[in-house]
Amino acid sequence: MKPHRLFPACTVALTAVLGLTGCAYGTKSDVRSLQANIDTLSRQVYVLEQKVQKLEAAAATTPAPQRQNAATPVPAPGTASDRVYRMTADEICSALMKNGMPLISFTRCTTANDPDGLLGTNGGYKSRADFRDRDIADPEAMGTVEVYDSAEAAQLRMSALAFHRVQAPEFVPEEQAFVYDNVVLRLPGAFTAEQGMRYEDALRKVLGLLG
């Protein structure tokens, strides 16, 4: 699954928004507002890129007119699969606990307590749950499971998260993130690589990708 080309467009969008606001630095509220604008623009860019990929695929598989020795068509760029897992985020957290992962507790996000304000929005997650791990002492270090309507929306979220960490590292904590079709697993940066692998394997088992 190849990444789509969002970062240059998002960088231009961020520069344009900052130029309109007349400032190079802002408050945490300013950054959240900019992130919301970037997410919206990113979705639009992603939709356009999908259309371009379809046109490229059609052009690559169509022989050039009046040419007997047409070049071998170039495969279309990889896209996310159509598989969609029906489990909600809290059901996945519960299954992770039952599979022996050290979750202390988890909280199902609602529109009232959703920290990112994306629940139920166009392109946002359709369910989210935040959890605590007993091996992490910091009470603010939470893991997150997000479930989307499509694999494409989940991939877009991964790109947006990575972009935010690059553009505003002082406001966006380090984390490990994994995506399986329409499910995104986010782990706190305090986790070791081994802990991340354990959670990734456990998630794959919950989703039926491991025996």
Side-chain angles (χ1 to χ4, degrees):
M1 190 180 299
K2 297 181 181 179
H4 45 77
R5 304 179 293 274
L6 284 180
F7 297 115
C10 289
T11 301
V12 172
L14 179 61
T15 303
V17 174
L18 286 174
L20 290 174
T21 58
C23 62
Y25 302 95
T27 65
K28 188 172 184 179
S29 176
D30 293 330
V31 171
R32 287 179 176 173
S33 177
L34 290 175
Q35 288 175 348
N37 291 331
I38 291 168
D39 285 338
T40 299
L41 292 171
S42 296
R43 295 187 189 104
Q44 295 173 354
V45 171
Y46 183 77
V47 170
L48 291 175
E49 286 189 340
Q50 292 300 301
K51 292 180 179 179
V52 170
Q53 288 178 2
K54 290 180 181 178
L55 291 173
E56 289 175 344
T61 56
T62 302
Q66 300 178 350
R67 289 186 61 183
Q68 295 181 349
N69 298 318
T72 303
V74 178
T79 56
S81 78
D82 294 328
R83 179 168 19 192
V84 174
Y85 299 103
R86 302 298 179 184
M87 298 178 71
T88 64
D90 50 304
E91 288 173 341
I92 291 175
C93 285
S94 179
L96 289 173
M97 293 180 74
K98 291 177 181 178
N99 277 274
M101 297 307 295
L103 277 73
I104 299 175
S105 61
F106 61 87
T107 303
R108 179 181 181 181
C109 283
T110 66
T111 53
N113 65 8
D114 179 15
D116 293 342
L118 297 177
L119 183 63
T121 63
N122 183 26
Y125 35 78
K126 63 180 183 179
S127 67
R128 168 176 169 159
D130 297 332
F131 64 86
R132 289 189 58 198
D133 183 285
R134 67 166 176 259
D135 295 331
I136 301 298
D138 183 1
E140 300 297 322
M142 306 283 286
T144 298
V145 175
E146 300 172 351
V147 180
Y148 294 81
D149 284 321
S150 67
E152 289 80 7
Q155 282 288 340
L156 181 56
R157 172 64 161 167
M158 291 284 286
S159 295
L161 288 170
F163 178 77
H164 295 333
R165 285 195 294 274
V166 171
Q167 294 298 319
E170 66 272 27
F171 297 118
V172 182
E174 287 291 330
E175 64 177 20
Q176 300 179 46
F178 308 92
V179 59
Y180 285 95
D181 298 294
N182 63 314
V183 177
V184 171
L185 172 65
R186 301 167 57 191
L187 302 175
F191 271 27
T192 64
E194 290 74 17
Q195 286 174 308
M197 290 177 61
R198 286 184 59 202
Y199 266 95
E200 186 182 15
D201 288 344
L203 175 62
R204 292 172 65 192
K205 186 174 183 179
V206 167
L207 297 178
L209 300 175
L210 289 180

